[in-house]
Amino acid sequence: TLLFIYTLIVEFSARTLIFYKTKNLNIYSFGIRESVKFEINDLSNFQFNIMGEKKIFKGNESLKKKSKKKMISIWTFGASKTQGYNCGEESSSWPEELRNTNDKFDIINFGFPGIYSDYSIKKLQYNISKDNLKKPDIIIWAHRDEEIQSILHGIKRNKEKIKTKSQTKKINPISHFLLRVNKTAENKLTFFKIMNHAFHKLNHTAYKMRNKYKPTKDDYKLAVENFKWNTLDAINLSNDHKVKQFIILSLFSVKQVQDKPLYGELLNEYFKIAASLDNDRNIKFIRSDKYASDVNKDNINNYFFENNHYNLKGNKLISKIVNNFILQE
C-alpha cells in the first residue's frame, strides 16, 4: 500500500512539473486516454511534446506580421555534421557558412551530435508549435548515416508503421516479458518514462554500441524505413504550418566517395526512399555528391577533418551547393 501511495505521489509530481513546463493539461490524461501521446524532446532542458486531445495554445498570428524584412527563415536538422564546429580554430558548420553565403537567410541550426531522425522529429514538433519562434520558410532535413542508430536503440517511434521486422536479434521469453512490462510502464507512467530515457542515454554514451555492433543488410533496410516514416511526419508537420519548402539533404562522406561495400547498402536504400519522397514541388532532395562531381577519391580528404567531419572547406562547399539549389528554385 505504501509503495502504491509513493508511486502516486512521485507520478503526480512528475506530471505537475511537466505541466508547469508545457502548460498542457493533457499530461494528466497520459496513460488513461489512448489519444494522448507524451514524448521527451530534450531532458536536459526539460522540453516535452504532448500530442492529442485539445491543444491549449495556438500560434499568435500577430507575431508573423512584425517582421518587415524579406528574410528567408531556414531551420536545419541533422547530427554532428550539421551542428558543425568539430575542427578546432577553423571550425564552422555548413548552416553557418550558408548564412555567410547569403545574408537573406535567417538560420536556426537544430543539429546535434549523435542523434538520428527520431530525435529531430521531436525537436521539430516542439519548436514549430512555439509562439516565440518565427515559422520556417524552408526546413532542411540532413539525416542519413546516423540512421543506423535506430537499430542500436531498437525501433520505437514507428514500431506500428514498419511492417518489415529485423531478424538480427533473438529475445528469450524472460527478456520478452520484461520488455513488455517496461513498455507498459512507459506508456502509463511519465516518471518511469523519464527515468528510462535518462538511463538509455547514459548507457548508450558509456557503452558506445556503435563501435561494437556490425549492421547487416537487413538492418540498413529497417533503419532507412524508420527514417522514411520520421521524414513523412516532418513533411506533414511542415505542411500543417505552411512551410514553403522541405529539403532532404544528403551530406556526402569519405566512405561514400570511396564506395565502401556494406555502407553502400545503406546508401542504396536511403537514395531510393529520399528520391521517392521528392514527388511534390514543395519537397526536394539534394544529393550533394552529384553537385560536387569534381570531388574525387584523390582529393576528398581535403574537405574533411581527421574525425570524418567537414572542415571549413567542406562546410563552405556544402553551403554553396545548398545556396545554389535554393536560388534555382
Side-chain angles (χ1 to χ4, degrees), residues 198-253:
F199 171 78
H200 282 296
K201 277 283 188 181
L202 291 170
N203 185 56
H204 178 67
T205 302
Y207 191 60
K208 295 182 179 179
M209 289 180 65
R210 180 187 287 187
N211 297 325
K212 296 177 178 292
Y213 177 71
K214 299 298 182 183
T216 67
K217 182 176 179 179
D218 288 339
D219 288 337
Y220 283 132
K221 287 183 177 180
L222 193 61
V224 173
E225 190 176 356
N226 185 67
F227 162 81
K228 177 188 78 172
W229 289 112
N230 285 334
T231 305
L232 284 171
D233 283 348
I235 289 170
N236 289 334
L237 267 175
S238 68
N239 289 336
D240 290 343
H241 289 271
K242 306 290 190 293
V243 177
K244 294 177 182 177
Q245 191 170 65
F246 189 97
I247 295 175
I248 303 169
L249 174 61
S250 168
L251 298 171
F252 69 84
S253 64

